[in-house]
Amino acid sequence: MWYLLLLPIALVVLLAVDLYRRNARALEVAQQYSGPPALPLIGNGLWFVNKTTVDFVNLIQKLTDDYGDVVRFWMGPQFTIYTGNPKWIEAILTNRNLTNKSDEYGFLSNWLGDGLLLSKRHKWHARRKIITPAFHFKILDQFVEVFDRNAAELVDVLGKFAANGQAFDVFPYILLYTLDVICETAMGTSVDAMRNSDSEYVKAVKEAASISITRMYDVYMRTPLFYLTPGYQKLRKAIKMLHAYTDNVIVSRRKQLEASSNEKAEVASEEHEYGGKKKEAFLDLLLKTSIEGRPLTNLEIREEVDTFMFEGHDTTTSGVSFTLYNLAKYPAIQQKVHDEIIAVLGTDPHKPVTMATLNELTYLEMVIKETLRLFPSVPIIGRKCVEEVTIEGKTVPAGTNIIIGIYYMGRDANYYDNPLEFIPERFEGEKSVEKFNPYKYVPFSAGQRNCIGQKFALNEVKSVISKLLRHYEFVMPADQNHEPPVLSSELILKPHHGIPLQIKPRAPLTH
């Protein structure tokens, strides 16, 4: 019976030969890079066994501490390069052979399909071209009212904490605010998340995001065995619910647009449920768009709407929450921001913001940008090398996964003086970090695949912060030891234990 052992042995040998053949070039050029020793076949895969997204932050930091800002390692047989070097980042983000997202993003495909975040090369270019007009400043201007109205609702929701002085985690409340904003701006619908946080839609968004992102970092969940787990059934149920919701909105809105065949019907269809003329949601713009002479299908529209939904709520939640944390941690900076807000908007805390007034809040914008340096909403981004390229004299073979460490570069003393200090003035005037070396500060990525919604996001953060600070002062709880928050490096940077803060109502101001 000994010969029965030959079959599994032969299969293992064939697998090893195939892996070697496919990775021969990577094995050849790997010697050009510094990095940790790896085992045959599994590479450095043991690093990721039983690791959490908190561990991942420390893991990458240790790699950079030990091997510098360009490091190679192996995720199983997958050759991977990590970099936090601005010259490398510029070369990567501006190279047409490096526009595809890395393999990890594929774990979002069940939900987002082939939308702008995940689509590749030619398809991505076509989608980007037709979606760009949706983020024109004239379109963005109409969303400011949505930001302001929902921010006023958030002020009301948080009022109970101002009344009792109780410390609370701001993160989940900001998340509900951003969900309300993104649903209205993306689809023109209201899920009333701030008042109905237990709704099926809100729970489905959280479930789908959590499971999809966890798969990126969990070795076991990255394999086909995931489809045998309860997690897969939960993900499938959540995505089914989200797709059904978006599909229903698309079908309903398409019928409304088709019914608007004359001017009278058009005017009637433009009445907004909140009164006045209805603002066009992202969905409306897509319904009126064509690609190569044909209208987008319902599936194509759903992919882009779901992508906008996914990218537009968690990232903004992170940016707002960490900005509030920094304002509470540095009271003098918070006071300076408040003074600017009053100078621009006046003493009436209920006065709506406009695009013009948001543009005048220059110091607040500097505070937000400094927050994104230390706490970038997307801590790492990934690219896949389509064809072999050379960067700074080193070969990057086709098929290489590349990790860009936005978070780590922002804290690197090689690129910033006193990198752990919070200094908003880094972004002031002609000496601004952004102008001096734009590729060492890329919280919204850069190059062709930069974040299409970065102006949308920045205006939303400025709007809600300006509204909150006119009503409340944010304070670090007295029992906190002022240690920085424990960070979780998911696709989005999150505070692992939340961000507990206290708020105090501001006394009414007079002219």
Side-chain angles (χ1 to χ4, degrees):
M1 300 295 290
W2 61 268
Y3 56 86
L4 294 178
L5 297 175
L6 293 178
L7 181 59
I9 292 173
L11 289 174
V12 170
V13 171
L14 288 173
L15 175 62
V17 170
D18 180 62
L19 287 174
Y20 178 81
R21 179 184 59 80
R22 287 190 283 125
N23 291 282
R25 182 58 174 161
L27 289 166
E28 179 184 348
V29 304
Q31 304 308 314
Q32 299 177 15
Y33 299 89
S34 60
L39 297 172
L41 298 180
I42 64 173
N44 303 109
L46 292 178
W47 289 355
F48 303 97
V49 175
N50 296 323
K51 292 293 191 300
T52 67
T53 52
V54 173
D55 296 326
F56 191 78
V57 175
N58 299 324
L59 177 62
I60 296 294
Q61 187 63 64
K62 179 171 174 51
L63 275 178
T64 61
D65 291 343
D66 292 347
Y67 300 101
D69 57 13
V70 179
V71 185
R72 64 105 182 100
F73 61 96
W74 299 82
M75 297 181 71
Q78 175 66 63
F79 184 59
T80 303
I81 294 173
Y82 162 84
T83 182
N85 181 299
K87 291 183 179 179
W88 269 73
I89 291 171
E90 179 175 7
I92 291 165
L93 297 182
T94 57
N95 191 309
R96 65 179 183 84
N97 290 321
L98 292 163
T99 58
N100 284 357
K101 294 300 181 76
S102 61
D103 294 340
E104 284 71 27
Y105 289 83
F107 295 117
L108 296 167
S109 62
N110 288 344
W111 181 6
L112 306 183
D114 211 13
L116 195 62
L117 177 65
L118 303 182
S119 55
K120 298 178 180 178
R121 302 190 84 175
H122 302 301
K123 185 172 185 178
W124 169 82
H125 187 270
R127 291 283 183 96
R128 175 83 179 213
K129 185 176 180 180
I130 64 169
I131 291 173
T132 296
F135 292 91
H136 188 275
F137 72 90
K138 290 183 179 178
I139 302 296
L140 295 179
D141 188 54
Q142 68 178 359
F143 292 146
V144 173
E145 186 274 335
V146 179
F147 301 157
D148 188 79
R149 175 164 33 79
N150 282 283
E153 183 75 5
L154 178 60
V155 167
D156 190 54
V157 168
L158 297 183
K160 60 186 177 183
F161 298 110
N164 62 24
Q166 177 185 348
F168 68 102
D169 179 9
V170 299
F171 195 90
Y173 290 92
I174 303 301
L175 176 64
L176 297 175
Y177 158 80
T178 59
L179 271 176
D180 278 337
V181 167
I182 206 69
C183 280
E184 190 172 340
T185 54
M187 294 185 285
T189 62
S190 174
V191 294
D192 197 20
M194 283 185 281
R195 299 291 185 182
N196 189 19
S197 60
D198 291 329
S199 73
E200 289 302 312
Y201 184 84
V202 172
K203 289 192 290 187
V205 169
K206 293 179 179 179
E207 189 88 89
S210 175
I211 296 173
S212 297
I213 292 170
T214 300
R215 291 193 68 197
M216 297 181 181
Y217 300 94
D218 189 297
V219 172
Y220 176 74
M221 292 179 69
R222 288 169 68 100
T223 71
L225 294 175
F226 167 71
Y227 297 102
L228 303 177
T229 67
Y232 170 65
Q233 297 304 323
K234 291 179 181 178
L235 177 63
R236 185 179 179 185
K237 180 180 177 181
I239 290 176
K240 183 178 180 181
M241 190 274 173
L242 295 173
H243 283 173
Y245 183 92
T246 308
D247 286 339
N248 288 336
V249 174
I250 292 170
V251 170
S252 174
R253 188 59 186 147
R254 192 185 286 279
K255 288 180 179 178
Q256 290 179 38
L257 290 174
E258 290 172 353
S260 302
S261 56
N262 56 62
E263 186 176 353
K264 183 177 179 180
E266 181 69 31
V267 172
S269 71
E270 291 297 320
E271 292 302 317
H272 194 277
E273 62 181 298
Y274 299 104
K277 191 173 181 178
K278 181 174 180 178
K279 297 164 181 61
E280 282 196 315
F282 181 59
L283 167 61
D284 296 316
L285 299 169
L286 292 177
L287 285 167
K288 297 176 182 179
T289 298
S290 61
I291 183 170
E292 297 178 351
R294 65 167 179 82
L296 296 176
T297 66
N298 285 4
L299 175 59
E300 289 172 326
I301 292 173
R302 188 187 76 195
E303 289 175 339
E304 300 306 341
V305 170
D306 283 349
T307 296
F308 189 32
M309 284 288 304
F310 171 77
E311 291 195 274
H313 80 280
D314 253 1
T315 52
T316 308
T317 299
S318 178
V320 173
S321 299
F322 285 115
T323 300
L324 291 175
Y325 163 79
N326 282 321
L327 290 171
K329 185 176 180 181
Y330 303 101
I333 292 176
Q334 181 175 176
Q335 184 61 53
K336 188 172 179 179
V337 171
H338 181 257
D339 290 343
E340 178 186 65
I341 293 169
I342 298 306
V344 171
L345 292 167
T347 57
D348 180 3
H350 304 289
K351 181 181 178 180
V353 296
T354 64
M355 183 67 81
T357 53
L358 288 180
N359 288 337
E360 291 185 58
L361 298 176
T362 55
Y363 186 70
L364 172 57
E365 183 168 323
M366 289 159 57
V367 168
I368 294 167
K369 288 179 176 179
E370 177 70 344
T371 295
L372 293 176
R373 179 185 69 82
L374 287 168
F375 303 98
S377 296
V378 181
I380 61 174
I381 56 178
R383 292 289 185 268
K384 187 71 174 281
C385 189
V386 178
E387 298 176 13
E388 185 169 299
V389 298
T390 300
I391 301 177
E392 294 292 301
K394 294 185 178 181
T395 303
V396 181
T400 301
N401 262 3
I402 301 176
I403 297 174
I404 296 174
I406 298 173
Y407 167 84
Y408 307 93
M409 183 171 60
R411 293 164 175 255
D412 193 327
N414 290 313
Y415 308 120
Y416 294 95
D417 295 329
N418 304 311
L420 299 184
E421 291 187 21
F422 190 77
I423 308 173
E425 288 74 17
R426 297 181 201 270
F427 295 90
E428 185 173 25
E430 291 301 316
K431 295 182 180 180
S432 170
V433 168
E434 293 176 292
K435 296 181 179 181
F436 184 71
N437 186 341
Y439 287 93
K440 75 175 185 181
Y441 179 77
V442 287
F444 295 103
S445 187
Q448 294 183 74
R449 293 198 76 143
N450 68 339
C451 175
I452 195 172
Q454 58 184 286
K455 291 183 179 178
F456 177 99
L458 186 58
N459 283 324
E460 183 181 354
V461 177
K462 290 170 77 172
S463 178
V464 67
I465 294 290
S466 67
K467 181 72 76 174
L468 289 172
L469 288 193
R470 279 183 283 165
H471 288 83
Y472 305 125
E473 177 187 359
F474 285 78
V475 180
M476 295 292 289
D479 60 347
Q480 295 295 308
N481 57 13
H482 296 278
E483 288 294 318
V486 176
L487 300 177
S488 174
S489 179
E490 303 177 11
L491 194 61
I492 308 301
L493 190 71
K494 295 182 177 180
H496 188 61
H497 301 301
I499 298 180
L501 298 176
Q502 290 175 290
I503 55 176
K504 298 178 180 179
R506 292 189 184 272
L509 296 174
T510 58
H511 293 287

